[in-house]
Amino acid sequence: MSSSRDTPIEQMQVVVLAGGMGTRLREETERVPKPLVEIGERPILWHIMKLYGHHGARRFLICLGYKSWDIKEYFLRYHEQSADLTVHIGSEEPPTFHDNAVAEDWEVTLAETGLTTGTGARLRRVRPYVDTDTFMFTYGDGIGRVDVGGLLDFHRSHDRVGTVTGVRPTSRYGEMAVADGMVTEFNEKPTTPEGFVSGGFFVFQREIFDYVGDEPELMLETGPLRRLARDGQLAVYRHEDFWMGMDTYREFTQLNDLWASGEAPWKVWER
C-alpha cells in the first residue's frame, strides 16, 4: 500500500458506485443496470471512465449490486463488443481482432457489494481492494465536464480527508420572480440556482474508512460525509461547468440529445 499523498493518478484507483436499482429510470433499468444505460451507443459508465481516463486514470474499482452479472459480462466481453473482428465459422480458429480494437488501457476490478446495500456500506466493502492512500470516488450515473486533474490538485492543496465536487444543477422547473402578486420575471430553465449540491466526483484519503461502518443500510451522504464536514475534513471543489445526473427518463433523453448533436460538453477525449 502506498502511504504517500502524491500517488500519480495513473496508479490511483477510481471507485465507482454501480449497484443501485435506478427505480426512477425504470423505463431503462428493468432491462439493464443503470450504469449500462446508454448515451449514444455506450453505457454512461463508459463515459464516466473515459472522462477519468482522459486525465490519466486507468485503475477502476466498480461496486456491483443490481444486475451485477450484466456489468461483469460487459467488461469480460469488452474487446469483442468494441472491435471489428473476423469469425471463422466451421473452424476451431479463434476470432481475429482487427487494428481498430480497444483504445483503453484499463484495469477494472468488479466487486460484489450486495443488492440493497447503502452507498457508505458499498464503499466499506471494497476497502480490501483499495491499495493507495489517495483514491477517487464517484457515482455511476452522473457525468460532467469535470477537470479531474484540477480536482486532485485542489484536494492535495487542502490536506483534508475528503473533497467533494460542488455543482449548480439546472432547475427542472420554471422560476418566477414575484412582486405585489404579479410575475415580474419568468425563467423557463434557470441554469445558475443559488448554492451548490454534491455532484459526486470525490477524492478521499484512506482515513475515510474511519468514518464508514459496515451497517448494510449505511448511506455515505447521511452519515460519514456529515461527520467529515463537522470535523472540518471535507473540502469542496467548485465546478461551474456542465454537470448532469441521469436520474430520470427526461435527463436520459437530454444526455442522448447532447451526444447526438456532436456537442456533448463532457466529451473531452479524442477516441
Side-chain angles (χ1 to χ4, degrees):
M1 182 199 326
S2 170
S3 61
S4 171
R5 289 181 180 243
D6 298 324
T7 304
I9 194 170
E10 294 83 3
Q11 298 176 18
M12 196 175 297
Q13 288 165 305
V14 181
V15 179
V16 185
L17 290 180
M21 294 186 182
T23 54
R24 286 184 289 179
L25 193 57
R26 193 179 301 276
E27 298 92 338
E28 295 294 319
T29 57
E30 286 187 350
R31 179 178 55 86
V32 294
K34 192 175 183 183
L36 293 189
V37 172
E38 292 185 345
I39 301 173
E41 296 181 349
R42 298 280 195 165
I44 188 171
L45 179 58
W46 177 87
H47 290 262
I48 294 166
M49 294 170 72
K50 287 291 284 187
L51 174 68
Y52 276 100
H54 173 75
H55 292 278
R58 58 170 299 276
R59 303 182 66 215
F60 297 90
L61 173 51
I62 314 296
C63 302
L64 303 177
Y66 176 66
K67 292 185 179 290
S68 61
W69 171 247
D70 290 357
I71 298 176
K72 286 181 175 179
E73 187 175 39
Y74 174 77
F75 287 105
L76 285 168
R77 305 191 65 178
Y78 190 87
H79 198 178
E80 298 171 25
Q81 297 175 81
S82 303
D84 290 352
L85 56 89
T86 298
V87 179
H88 307 280
I89 305 296
S91 167
E92 295 184 0
E93 185 177 348
T96 301
F97 292 93
H98 299 287
D99 290 341
N100 68 333
V102 180
E104 290 74 50
D105 178 27
W106 292 341
E107 171 194 288
V108 184
T109 300
L110 300 154
E112 297 283 356
T113 58
L115 181 61
T116 60
T117 311
T119 53
R122 290 192 193 280
L123 174 59
R124 178 76 175 194
R125 291 182 182 185
V126 298
R127 180 178 182 174
Y129 297 111
V130 176
D131 59 10
T132 54
D133 186 56
T134 306
F135 65 97
M136 295 187 169
F137 177 90
T138 195
Y139 303 101
D141 61 358
I143 191 67
R145 193 182 178 91
V146 178
D147 181 356
V148 172
L151 165 63
L152 181 58
D153 289 342
F154 179 91
H155 172 78
R156 285 172 167 158
S157 70
H158 283 70
D159 196 28
R160 296 293 189 272
V161 172
T163 299
V164 57
T165 299
V167 301
R168 299 184 190 270
T170 301
S171 173
R172 297 177 183 176
Y173 305 101
E175 182 180 76
M176 298 183 295
V178 178
D180 298 324
M182 299 295 292
V183 176
T184 59
E185 185 177 353
F186 187 93
N187 297 311
E188 182 184 1
K189 295 178 181 177
T191 56
T192 56
E194 293 297 322
F196 286 88
V197 300
S198 169
F201 292 90
F202 295 87
V203 185
F204 288 130
Q205 298 303 127
R206 283 190 66 86
E207 291 94 322
I208 184 63
F209 292 113
D210 296 336
Y211 289 79
V212 181
D214 197 29
E215 302 87 353
E217 301 84 13
L218 178 67
M219 299 299 291
L220 183 70
E221 302 77 11
T222 57
L225 293 184
R226 289 181 179 178
R227 290 176 55 207
L228 277 180
R230 286 198 301 266
D231 291 350
Q233 289 295 326
L234 185 62
V236 59
Y237 177 74
R238 298 189 177 200
H239 174 69
E240 302 280 2
D241 208 331
F242 175 86
W243 176 90
M244 184 180 289
M246 190 177 66
D247 287 329
T248 65
Y249 193 78
R250 179 173 181 264
E251 290 160 339
F252 161 76
T253 301
Q254 288 177 322
L255 289 167
N256 272 278
D257 287 346
L258 282 170
W259 186 261
S261 74
E263 298 179 357
W266 67 90
K267 187 184 181 302
V268 294
W269 57 90
E270 294 297 323
R271 58 186 294 269

